[in-house]
């Protein structure tokens, strides 16, 4: 029996595949390399000493996806594949809805055809929208501020509706907070296309002198130092959360949304200072105007993950800063060496 990992060559996907292989799961990866690089597959093998099956494939290619299910005995799916750049989604809404939503529908149709009804889905804390007050709990109403966020909201609804229509389905909707950090080895990590949109990869590219200075989007929020507050979570903690969610899905039915966060909020300046301290590097920055669509404060109530899945984040912000830098320093061009 194998676990199918869509988007398994991506940042969170690759860290999750390492955990799966280290826990003796058989893994099949599907990835189209739209935002990832083939080198990561060699690194995963190097780190785990284990092999897996790989298909270069976009989920919209139904016929070839059916072949994956014909050729492998798939027990459950961990579904990461999707476009994820908030700003780009505003310029390319049709591409985002088609790739993320239609791609997921095709995947679910094929799963149904092959009677595979366990799925762990990469959702996002972005579904808490602008109007909820942190700490966010899973029962809060969901919404979004951009097409990327709406694809997550819509896919959550599709999975919940599926579990209502057929009580054999067990979708787990994992709402990630802000994943940063990298594998302790420094061999796999986050490798954004172009200029990073997110805070930590931007900081590490300033540290490696690919970028001149960090722009901090606003210091006039209603937060202790005026900069935005988020719940940063180590990607390896996040990856381990997927194994717990998989286990839960395989042993229960019905849909569950679960936050994966630490429950701690840190400001942009906290992260900059933690990075400087952990790595003994100065990060030049300037304060610029707010970025449209950003909330002031977002962090998880992580109680449900603990009660339902038996999962808790373990790594400190210092670990996250240290491993993010180790990855970037050892791989200044990411996987594109
Ligand atoms: N920030 C900066 N400068 C930068 C980048 C970010 O000041 O160059 C600030 C942001 O304003 C925010 C914080 O750093 O206060 C974190 O920003 P990120 O872009 O790293 O993360 P977001 O919280 O905006 O977004 C992330 C994911 C989204 C997801 C969202 C859910 O990138 O995919 O969390 O909360 F939808």
């Amino acid at each position: 029996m194998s676990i199918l990992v869509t988007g398994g060559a991506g940042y969170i996907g690759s860290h999750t595949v390492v955990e799966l292989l280290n826990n003796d799961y058989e893994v099949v990866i599907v990835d189209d390399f739209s935002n990832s690089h083939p080198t990561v597959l060699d690194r995963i093998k190097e780190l785990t000493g284990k092999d897996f099956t790989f298909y270069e494939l976009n989920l919209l290619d139904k016929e070839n996806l059916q072949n994956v299910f014909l050729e492998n005995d798939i027990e459950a799916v961990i579904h990461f594949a999707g476009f994820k750049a908030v700003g780009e989604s505003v310029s390319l809404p049709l591409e985002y809805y088609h790739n993320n939503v239609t791609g997921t529908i095709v995947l679910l149709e094929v799963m149904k055809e092959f009677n595979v009804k366990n799925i762990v889905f990469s959702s996002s804390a972005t579904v808490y929208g602008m109007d909820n007050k942190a700490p966010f709990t899973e029962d809060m109403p969901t919404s979004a501020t951009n097409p990327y966020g709406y694809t997550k909201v819509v896919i959550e609804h599709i999975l919940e509706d599926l579990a209502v229509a057929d009580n054999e389905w067990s979708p787990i909707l994992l709402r990630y907070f802000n994943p940063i950090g990298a594998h302790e080895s420094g061999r796999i990590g986050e490798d954004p296309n172009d200029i990073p949109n997110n805070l930590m990869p931007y900081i590490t590219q300033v540290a490696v002198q690919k970028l001149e200075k960090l722009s901090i989007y606003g210091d006039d929020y209603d937060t202790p130092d005026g900069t935005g507050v988020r719940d940063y979570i180590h990607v390896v903690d996040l990856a381990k959360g997927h194994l717990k969610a998989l286990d839960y899905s395989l042993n229960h039915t019905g849909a569950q949304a679960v936050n994966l966060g630490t429950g701690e909020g840190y400001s942009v300046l906290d992260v900059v200072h933690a990075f400087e301290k952990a790595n003994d590097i100065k990060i030049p920055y300037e304060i610029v105007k707010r970025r449209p669509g950003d909330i002031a404060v977002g962090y998880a109530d992580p109680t449900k993950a603990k009660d339902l899945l038996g999962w808790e984040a373990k790594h400190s912000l210092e670990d996250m800063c240290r491993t993010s830098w180790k990855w970037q320093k050892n791989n200044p061009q990411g996987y594109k060496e």
Side-chain angles (χ1 to χ4, degrees), residues 84 86 124-126 148 177-178 197-199 202 214-217 228 230 232 268 291 294:
K84 62 171 189 179
V86 172
S124 166
T126 200
Y148 159 76
F177 283 73
N178 290 61
N197 300 303
N198 299 114
L199 180 62
Y202 206 103
L214 172 69
S215 298
I216 295 184
Y217 299 134
R230 295 289 182 279
Y232 296 92
V268 179
R291 181 171 66 177
D294 273 355

PDB file of all heavy atoms in Angstrom, residues 84 86 124-126 148 177-178 197-199 202 214-217 228 230 232 268 291 294, ligand 1:
ATOM      1  N   LYS A  84       0.522  28.968  -5.301  1.00  0.00           N
ATOM      2  CA  LYS A  84       0.429  29.518  -3.945  1.00  0.00           C
ATOM      3  C   LYS A  84       0.835  30.964  -3.783  1.00  0.00           C
ATOM      4  O   LYS A  84       0.969  31.445  -2.657  1.00  0.00           O
ATOM      5  CB  LYS A  84       1.234  28.647  -2.991  1.00  0.00           C
ATOM      6  CG  LYS A  84       2.724  28.603  -3.327  1.00  0.00           C
ATOM      7  CD  LYS A  84       3.524  27.907  -2.240  1.00  0.00           C
ATOM      8  CE  LYS A  84       4.995  28.050  -2.452  1.00  0.00           C
ATOM      9  NZ  LYS A  84       5.814  27.427  -1.432  1.00  0.00           N
ATOM     10  N   VAL A  86       0.068  34.654  -3.561  1.00  0.00           N
ATOM     11  CA  VAL A  86      -1.113  35.488  -3.363  1.00  0.00           C
ATOM     12  C   VAL A  86      -1.215  36.575  -4.443  1.00  0.00           C
ATOM     13  O   VAL A  86      -2.248  36.723  -5.104  1.00  0.00           O
ATOM     14  CB  VAL A  86      -1.074  36.128  -1.957  1.00  0.00           C
ATOM     15  CG1 VAL A  86      -2.179  37.158  -1.797  1.00  0.00           C
ATOM     16  CG2 VAL A  86      -1.169  35.054  -0.878  1.00  0.00           C
ATOM     17  N   SER A 124      -4.963  26.466   4.428  1.00  0.00           N
ATOM     18  CA  SER A 124      -4.138  27.586   4.890  1.00  0.00           C
ATOM     19  C   SER A 124      -4.913  28.411   5.900  1.00  0.00           C
ATOM     20  O   SER A 124      -6.141  28.529   5.803  1.00  0.00           O
ATOM     21  CB  SER A 124      -3.795  28.460   3.684  1.00  0.00           C
ATOM     22  OG  SER A 124      -3.281  29.703   4.112  1.00  0.00           O
ATOM     23  N   ALA A 125      -4.170  29.026   6.804  1.00  0.00           N
ATOM     24  CA  ALA A 125      -4.790  29.962   7.744  1.00  0.00           C
ATOM     25  C   ALA A 125      -5.380  31.159   7.017  1.00  0.00           C
ATOM     26  O   ALA A 125      -6.146  31.930   7.611  1.00  0.00           O
ATOM     27  CB  ALA A 125      -3.752  30.431   8.753  1.00  0.00           C
ATOM     28  N   THR A 126      -5.071  31.305   5.748  1.00  0.00           N
ATOM     29  CA  THR A 126      -5.660  32.390   4.963  1.00  0.00           C
ATOM     30  C   THR A 126      -7.190  32.290   4.948  1.00  0.00           C
ATOM     31  O   THR A 126      -7.862  33.308   4.780  1.00  0.00           O
ATOM     32  CB  THR A 126      -5.064  32.400   3.531  1.00  0.00           C
ATOM     33  OG1 THR A 126      -5.261  33.667   2.950  1.00  0.00           O
ATOM     34  CG2 THR A 126      -5.645  31.340   2.651  1.00  0.00           C
ATOM     35  N   TYR A 148      -6.191  33.142  -4.630  1.00  0.00           N
ATOM     36  CA  TYR A 148      -5.476  32.021  -3.992  1.00  0.00           C
ATOM     37  C   TYR A 148      -6.236  31.561  -2.744  1.00  0.00           C
ATOM     38  O   TYR A 148      -6.496  30.375  -2.557  1.00  0.00           O
ATOM     39  CB  TYR A 148      -4.050  32.442  -3.615  1.00  0.00           C
ATOM     40  CG  TYR A 148      -3.441  31.575  -2.546  1.00  0.00           C
ATOM     41  CD1 TYR A 148      -2.966  30.309  -2.847  1.00  0.00           C
ATOM     42  CD2 TYR A 148      -3.394  32.004  -1.211  1.00  0.00           C
ATOM     43  CE1 TYR A 148      -2.443  29.497  -1.851  1.00  0.00           C
ATOM     44  CE2 TYR A 148      -2.874  31.204  -0.217  1.00  0.00           C
ATOM     45  CZ  TYR A 148      -2.402  29.945  -0.536  1.00  0.00           C
ATOM     46  OH  TYR A 148      -1.902  29.151   0.450  1.00  0.00           O
ATOM     47  N   PHE A 177      -0.293  27.627   9.362  1.00  0.00           N
ATOM     48  CA  PHE A 177       0.029  29.022   9.646  1.00  0.00           C
ATOM     49  C   PHE A 177       1.267  29.396   8.814  1.00  0.00           C
ATOM     50  O   PHE A 177       1.231  29.223   7.608  1.00  0.00           O
ATOM     51  CB  PHE A 177       0.054  29.277  11.164  1.00  0.00           C
ATOM     52  CG  PHE A 177      -1.394  29.367  11.636  1.00  0.00           C
ATOM     53  CD1 PHE A 177      -2.194  28.217  11.719  1.00  0.00           C
ATOM     54  CD2 PHE A 177      -2.000  30.596  11.855  1.00  0.00           C
ATOM     55  CE1 PHE A 177      -3.552  28.311  12.031  1.00  0.00           C
ATOM     56  CE2 PHE A 177      -3.354  30.689  12.177  1.00  0.00           C
ATOM     57  CZ  PHE A 177      -4.124  29.549  12.263  1.00  0.00           C
ATOM     58  N   ASN A 178       2.340  29.891   9.346  1.00  0.00           N
ATOM     59  CA  ASN A 178       3.423  30.377   8.475  1.00  0.00           C
ATOM     60  C   ASN A 178       4.637  29.453   8.533  1.00  0.00           C
ATOM     61  O   ASN A 178       5.496  29.604   9.405  1.00  0.00           O
ATOM     62  CB  ASN A 178       3.819  31.802   8.881  1.00  0.00           C
ATOM     63  CG  ASN A 178       2.742  32.809   8.536  1.00  0.00           C
ATOM     64  OD1 ASN A 178       1.622  32.721   9.037  1.00  0.00           O
ATOM     65  ND2 ASN A 178       3.050  33.756   7.681  1.00  0.00           N
ATOM     66  N   ASN A 197       7.990  36.240  -1.979  1.00  0.00           N
ATOM     67  CA  ASN A 197       6.857  37.029  -1.469  1.00  0.00           C
ATOM     68  C   ASN A 197       6.807  36.961   0.046  1.00  0.00           C
ATOM     69  O   ASN A 197       6.240  37.836   0.688  1.00  0.00           O
ATOM     70  CB  ASN A 197       5.526  36.460  -1.975  1.00  0.00           C
ATOM     71  CG  ASN A 197       5.450  36.474  -3.490  1.00  0.00           C
ATOM     72  OD1 ASN A 197       5.598  37.529  -4.093  1.00  0.00           O
ATOM     73  ND2 ASN A 197       5.252  35.314  -4.095  1.00  0.00           N
ATOM     74  N   ASN A 198       7.348  35.881   0.602  1.00  0.00           N
ATOM     75  CA  ASN A 198       7.174  35.628   2.038  1.00  0.00           C
ATOM     76  C   ASN A 198       8.380  36.087   2.835  1.00  0.00           C
ATOM     77  O   ASN A 198       9.483  36.215   2.314  1.00  0.00           O
ATOM     78  CB  ASN A 198       6.893  34.143   2.277  1.00  0.00           C
ATOM     79  CG  ASN A 198       5.621  33.709   1.579  1.00  0.00           C
ATOM     80  OD1 ASN A 198       5.677  32.905   0.662  1.00  0.00           O
ATOM     81  ND2 ASN A 198       4.509  34.269   1.978  1.00  0.00           N
ATOM     82  N   LEU A 199       8.139  36.308   4.117  1.00  0.00           N
ATOM     83  CA  LEU A 199       9.140  36.966   4.953  1.00  0.00           C
ATOM     84  C   LEU A 199      10.474  36.208   5.063  1.00  0.00           C
ATOM     85  O   LEU A 199      11.530  36.774   4.796  1.00  0.00           O
ATOM     86  CB  LEU A 199       8.543  37.203   6.351  1.00  0.00           C
ATOM     87  CG  LEU A 199       9.475  37.877   7.351  1.00  0.00           C
ATOM     88  CD1 LEU A 199       9.864  39.270   6.878  1.00  0.00           C
ATOM     89  CD2 LEU A 199       8.820  37.948   8.734  1.00  0.00           C
ATOM     90  N   TYR A 202      12.723  35.928   2.047  1.00  0.00           N
ATOM     91  CA  TYR A 202      13.251  37.266   1.736  1.00  0.00           C
ATOM     92  C   TYR A 202      14.430  37.589   2.656  1.00  0.00           C
ATOM     93  O   TYR A 202      15.486  38.046   2.213  1.00  0.00           O
ATOM     94  CB  TYR A 202      12.143  38.337   1.858  1.00  0.00           C
ATOM     95  CG  TYR A 202      12.433  39.532   0.971  1.00  0.00           C
ATOM     96  CD1 TYR A 202      11.768  39.712  -0.238  1.00  0.00           C
ATOM     97  CD2 TYR A 202      13.418  40.464   1.337  1.00  0.00           C
ATOM     98  CE1 TYR A 202      12.070  40.787  -1.064  1.00  0.00           C
ATOM     99  CE2 TYR A 202      13.721  41.530   0.522  1.00  0.00           C
ATOM    100  CZ  TYR A 202      13.049  41.696  -0.682  1.00  0.00           C
ATOM    101  OH  TYR A 202      13.356  42.757  -1.500  1.00  0.00           O
ATOM    102  N   LEU A 214      15.477  44.214   3.396  1.00  0.00           N
ATOM    103  CA  LEU A 214      14.088  43.794   3.596  1.00  0.00           C
ATOM    104  C   LEU A 214      13.192  45.025   3.646  1.00  0.00           C
ATOM    105  O   LEU A 214      13.543  46.019   4.280  1.00  0.00           O
ATOM    106  CB  LEU A 214      14.008  43.028   4.937  1.00  0.00           C
ATOM    107  CG  LEU A 214      12.613  42.655   5.427  1.00  0.00           C
ATOM    108  CD1 LEU A 214      11.987  41.578   4.545  1.00  0.00           C
ATOM    109  CD2 LEU A 214      12.675  42.173   6.880  1.00  0.00           C
ATOM    110  N   SER A 215      12.032  44.947   2.982  1.00  0.00           N
ATOM    111  CA  SER A 215      10.999  45.973   3.188  1.00  0.00           C
ATOM    112  C   SER A 215      10.008  45.423   4.199  1.00  0.00           C
ATOM    113  O   SER A 215       9.437  44.349   3.980  1.00  0.00           O
ATOM    114  CB  SER A 215      10.253  46.260   1.889  1.00  0.00           C
ATOM    115  OG  SER A 215      11.135  46.768   0.928  1.00  0.00           O
ATOM    116  N   ILE A 216       9.813  46.139   5.284  1.00  0.00           N
ATOM    117  CA  ILE A 216       8.818  45.718   6.282  1.00  0.00           C
ATOM    118  C   ILE A 216       7.527  46.460   5.982  1.00  0.00           C
ATOM    119  O   ILE A 216       7.498  47.703   5.963  1.00  0.00           O
ATOM    120  CB  ILE A 216       9.320  45.988   7.714  1.00  0.00           C
ATOM    121  CG1 ILE A 216      10.549  45.111   7.986  1.00  0.00           C
ATOM    122  CG2 ILE A 216       8.208  45.745   8.726  1.00  0.00           C
ATOM    123  CD1 ILE A 216      11.102  45.216   9.404  1.00  0.00           C
ATOM    124  N   TYR A 217       6.461  45.656   5.747  1.00  0.00           N
ATOM    125  CA  TYR A 217       5.193  46.246   5.288  1.00  0.00           C
ATOM    126  C   TYR A 217       4.374  46.809   6.449  1.00  0.00           C
ATOM    127  O   TYR A 217       3.437  46.179   6.900  1.00  0.00           O
ATOM    128  CB  TYR A 217       4.386  45.194   4.532  1.00  0.00           C
ATOM    129  CG  TYR A 217       5.078  44.649   3.300  1.00  0.00           C
ATOM    130  CD1 TYR A 217       5.109  43.270   3.054  1.00  0.00           C
ATOM    131  CD2 TYR A 217       5.693  45.498   2.382  1.00  0.00           C
ATOM    132  CE1 TYR A 217       5.738  42.761   1.927  1.00  0.00           C
ATOM    133  CE2 TYR A 217       6.321  44.989   1.255  1.00  0.00           C
ATOM    134  CZ  TYR A 217       6.342  43.627   1.038  1.00  0.00           C
ATOM    135  OH  TYR A 217       6.959  43.114  -0.079  1.00  0.00           O
ATOM    136  N   GLY A 228       3.389  43.444  11.703  1.00  0.00           N
ATOM    137  CA  GLY A 228       2.410  42.354  11.675  1.00  0.00           C
ATOM    138  C   GLY A 228       2.860  41.147  12.494  1.00  0.00           C
ATOM    139  O   GLY A 228       4.048  40.828  12.537  1.00  0.00           O
ATOM    140  N   ARG A 230       2.487  37.025  13.278  1.00  0.00           N
ATOM    141  CA  ARG A 230       2.094  35.747  12.678  1.00  0.00           C
ATOM    142  C   ARG A 230       2.578  34.595  13.544  1.00  0.00           C
ATOM    143  O   ARG A 230       3.470  34.746  14.378  1.00  0.00           O
ATOM    144  CB  ARG A 230       2.740  35.575  11.293  1.00  0.00           C
ATOM    145  CG  ARG A 230       2.295  36.569  10.244  1.00  0.00           C
ATOM    146  CD  ARG A 230       0.869  36.333   9.776  1.00  0.00           C
ATOM    147  NE  ARG A 230       0.492  37.275   8.729  1.00  0.00           N
ATOM    148  CZ  ARG A 230       0.095  38.536   8.938  1.00  0.00           C
ATOM    149  NH1 ARG A 230       0.036  39.020  10.169  1.00  0.00           N
ATOM    150  NH2 ARG A 230      -0.241  39.299   7.916  1.00  0.00           N
ATOM    151  N   TYR A 232       4.634  31.534  13.237  1.00  0.00           N
ATOM    152  CA  TYR A 232       5.632  30.847  12.415  1.00  0.00           C
ATOM    153  C   TYR A 232       5.822  29.432  12.944  1.00  0.00           C
ATOM    154  O   TYR A 232       5.962  29.230  14.149  1.00  0.00           O
ATOM    155  CB  TYR A 232       6.950  31.633  12.411  1.00  0.00           C
ATOM    156  CG  TYR A 232       6.756  32.988  11.762  1.00  0.00           C
ATOM    157  CD1 TYR A 232       6.419  34.103  12.527  1.00  0.00           C
ATOM    158  CD2 TYR A 232       6.832  33.116  10.377  1.00  0.00           C
ATOM    159  CE1 TYR A 232       6.190  35.338  11.922  1.00  0.00           C
ATOM    160  CE2 TYR A 232       6.600  34.347   9.765  1.00  0.00           C
ATOM    161  CZ  TYR A 232       6.282  35.448  10.542  1.00  0.00           C
ATOM    162  OH  TYR A 232       6.040  36.661   9.949  1.00  0.00           O
ATOM    163  N   VAL A 268       7.103  40.910  12.781  1.00  0.00           N
ATOM    164  CA  VAL A 268       8.145  40.914  11.742  1.00  0.00           C
ATOM    165  C   VAL A 268       9.487  41.278  12.382  1.00  0.00           C
ATOM    166  O   VAL A 268      10.512  40.632  12.111  1.00  0.00           O
ATOM    167  CB  VAL A 268       7.790  41.902  10.604  1.00  0.00           C
ATOM    168  CG1 VAL A 268       8.895  41.908   9.544  1.00  0.00           C
ATOM    169  CG2 VAL A 268       6.453  41.541   9.961  1.00  0.00           C
ATOM    170  N   ARG A 291       1.118  46.203   3.112  1.00  0.00           N
ATOM    171  CA  ARG A 291       0.822  45.423   1.908  1.00  0.00           C
ATOM    172  C   ARG A 291      -0.688  45.151   1.895  1.00  0.00           C
ATOM    173  O   ARG A 291      -1.227  44.642   2.893  1.00  0.00           O
ATOM    174  CB  ARG A 291       1.616  44.111   1.974  1.00  0.00           C
ATOM    175  CG  ARG A 291       1.431  43.209   0.787  1.00  0.00           C
ATOM    176  CD  ARG A 291       2.403  42.026   0.816  1.00  0.00           C
ATOM    177  NE  ARG A 291       2.160  41.108   1.925  1.00  0.00           N
ATOM    178  CZ  ARG A 291       2.842  39.975   2.126  1.00  0.00           C
ATOM    179  NH1 ARG A 291       3.825  39.646   1.310  1.00  0.00           N
ATOM    180  NH2 ARG A 291       2.562  39.204   3.151  1.00  0.00           N
ATOM    181  N   ASP A 294      -3.042  42.288   3.951  1.00  0.00           N
ATOM    182  CA  ASP A 294      -2.420  41.750   5.168  1.00  0.00           C
ATOM    183  C   ASP A 294      -3.292  42.048   6.396  1.00  0.00           C
ATOM    184  O   ASP A 294      -3.829  43.152   6.521  1.00  0.00           O
ATOM    185  CB  ASP A 294      -1.046  42.396   5.408  1.00  0.00           C
ATOM    186  CG  ASP A 294       0.088  41.690   4.679  1.00  0.00           C
ATOM    187  OD1 ASP A 294      -0.171  40.634   4.058  1.00  0.00           O
ATOM    188  OD2 ASP A 294       1.225  42.193   4.725  1.00  0.00           O
TER     189      ASP A 294
HETATM  190  N1  LIG B   1       6.409  40.829   5.392  1.00  0.00           N
HETATM  191  C1  LIG B   1       7.226  41.934   5.303  1.00  0.00           C
HETATM  192  N2  LIG B   1       8.097  42.001   4.240  1.00  0.00           N
HETATM  193  C2  LIG B   1       8.187  41.023   3.304  1.00  0.00           C
HETATM  194  C3  LIG B   1       7.340  39.890   3.412  1.00  0.00           C
HETATM  195  C4  LIG B   1       6.455  39.838   4.469  1.00  0.00           C
HETATM  196  O1  LIG B   1       7.162  42.845   6.117  1.00  0.00           O
HETATM  197  O2  LIG B   1       8.994  41.164   2.372  1.00  0.00           O
HETATM  198  C5  LIG B   1       5.487  40.723   6.553  1.00  0.00           C
HETATM  199  C6  LIG B   1       4.030  40.670   6.173  1.00  0.00           C
HETATM  200  O3  LIG B   1       3.490  41.970   6.051  1.00  0.00           O
HETATM  201  C7  LIG B   1       3.450  39.865   7.335  1.00  0.00           C
HETATM  202  C8  LIG B   1       4.572  38.913   7.709  1.00  0.00           C
HETATM  203  O4  LIG B   1       5.753  39.500   7.199  1.00  0.00           O
HETATM  204  O5  LIG B   1       3.202  40.705   8.435  1.00  0.00           O
HETATM  205  C9  LIG B   1       4.411  37.537   7.110  1.00  0.00           C
HETATM  206  O6  LIG B   1       4.216  37.652   5.708  1.00  0.00           O
HETATM  207  P1  LIG B   1       4.307  36.381   4.733  1.00  0.00           P
HETATM  208  O7  LIG B   1       4.109  36.876   3.333  1.00  0.00           O
HETATM  209  O8  LIG B   1       5.528  35.606   5.019  1.00  0.00           O
HETATM  210  O9  LIG B   1       3.090  35.488   5.203  1.00  0.00           O
HETATM  211  P2  LIG B   1       1.527  35.827   5.218  1.00  0.00           P
HETATM  212  O10 LIG B   1       1.095  35.674   6.629  1.00  0.00           O
HETATM  213  O11 LIG B   1       1.174  37.066   4.525  1.00  0.00           O
HETATM  214  O12 LIG B   1       0.997  34.704   4.253  1.00  0.00           O
HETATM  215  C10 LIG B   1       1.197  33.345   4.533  1.00  0.00           C
HETATM  216  C11 LIG B   1       1.292  32.517   3.273  1.00  0.00           C
HETATM  217  C12 LIG B   1       0.014  32.514   2.533  1.00  0.00           C
HETATM  218  C13 LIG B   1      -1.081  32.151   3.439  1.00  0.00           C
HETATM  219  C14 LIG B   1      -1.093  33.013   4.658  1.00  0.00           C
HETATM  220  C15 LIG B   1      -2.096  32.536   5.643  1.00  0.00           C
HETATM  221  O13 LIG B   1       2.283  33.026   2.415  1.00  0.00           O
HETATM  222  O14 LIG B   1       0.103  31.540   1.521  1.00  0.00           O
HETATM  223  O15 LIG B   1       0.159  32.939   5.297  1.00  0.00           O
HETATM  224  O16 LIG B   1      -2.103  33.276   6.797  1.00  0.00           O
HETATM  225  F1  LIG B   1      -2.248  32.271   2.796  1.00  0.00           F
END
